[in-house]
């Protein structure tokens, strides 16, 4: 199992990286943290430390490197990260097959 990225998400991640002047190849750390109305929420941030921690998993697709800690990976295995900018809202969306319930805004989930 892995985490996949759509072409739209990869393009947007690269645009954000460049706009924030992060060096080429700076990985994106994806994690799951407590919060939101359903109990768990997703967190995305560029890993400028580039310090891999024990148990981190690395996924690379379309030139984008994702780092996921082991605890978060248990929640995210099989997830697809997408980006949309249509009428339903602009932003990153996680299609997580492990989520049993999501809140109406799509920002949080539960297992």
């Amino acid at each position: 199992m892995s985490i996949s990225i759509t072409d739209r998400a990869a393009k947007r991640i690269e645009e954000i990286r460049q706009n924030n002047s992060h060096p080429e190849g700076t990985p994106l750390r994806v994690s799951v943290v407590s919060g939101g109305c359903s109990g768990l929420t997703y967190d995305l941030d560029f890993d400028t430390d580039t310090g891999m921690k024990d148990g981190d998993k690395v996924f690379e697709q379309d030139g984008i490197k994702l780092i996921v800690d082991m605890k978060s990976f248990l929640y995210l295995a099989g997830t697809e990260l997408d980006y949309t900018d249509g009428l339903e809202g602009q932003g990153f969306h996680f299609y997580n097959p492990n989520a049993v319930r999501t809140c109406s805004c799509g920002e949080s989930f539960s297992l």
Side-chain angles (χ1 to χ4, degrees), residues 29 47 49-58 67-70:
R29 186 168 284 276
D47 193 340
D49 288 342
T50 63
M52 297 289 293
K53 299 172 181 90
D54 285 341
D56 280 351
K57 292 189 153 293
V58 179
I67 298 176
V68 182
D69 64 88
M70 183 52 82

Side-chain angles (χ1 to χ4, degrees), residues 23-108:
E24 187 173 337
T26 301
L28 184 69
R29 186 168 284 276
V30 182
S31 57
V32 173
V33 295
S34 294
C37 50
S38 291
L40 298 169
T41 189
Y42 304 104
D43 187 46
L44 296 170
D45 197 14
F46 285 98
D47 193 340
T48 54
D49 288 342
T50 63
M52 297 289 293
K53 299 172 181 90
D54 285 341
D56 280 351
K57 292 189 153 293
V58 179
F59 303 95
E60 191 163 350
Q61 184 178 334
D62 296 328
I64 303 297
K65 188 183 293 186
L66 298 179
I67 298 176
V68 182
D69 64 88
M70 183 52 82
K71 180 181 174 189
S72 295
F73 181 70
L74 296 174
Y75 298 116
L76 295 170
T79 295
E80 179 182 67
L81 176 59
D82 191 16
Y83 179 80
T84 58
D85 58 2
L87 295 174
E88 293 181 21
Q90 179 180 10
F92 289 101
H93 299 277
F94 291 83
Y95 297 99
N96 186 342
N98 306 303
V100 174
R101 186 181 73 188
T102 60
C103 63
S104 60
C105 66
E107 294 292 320
S108 65

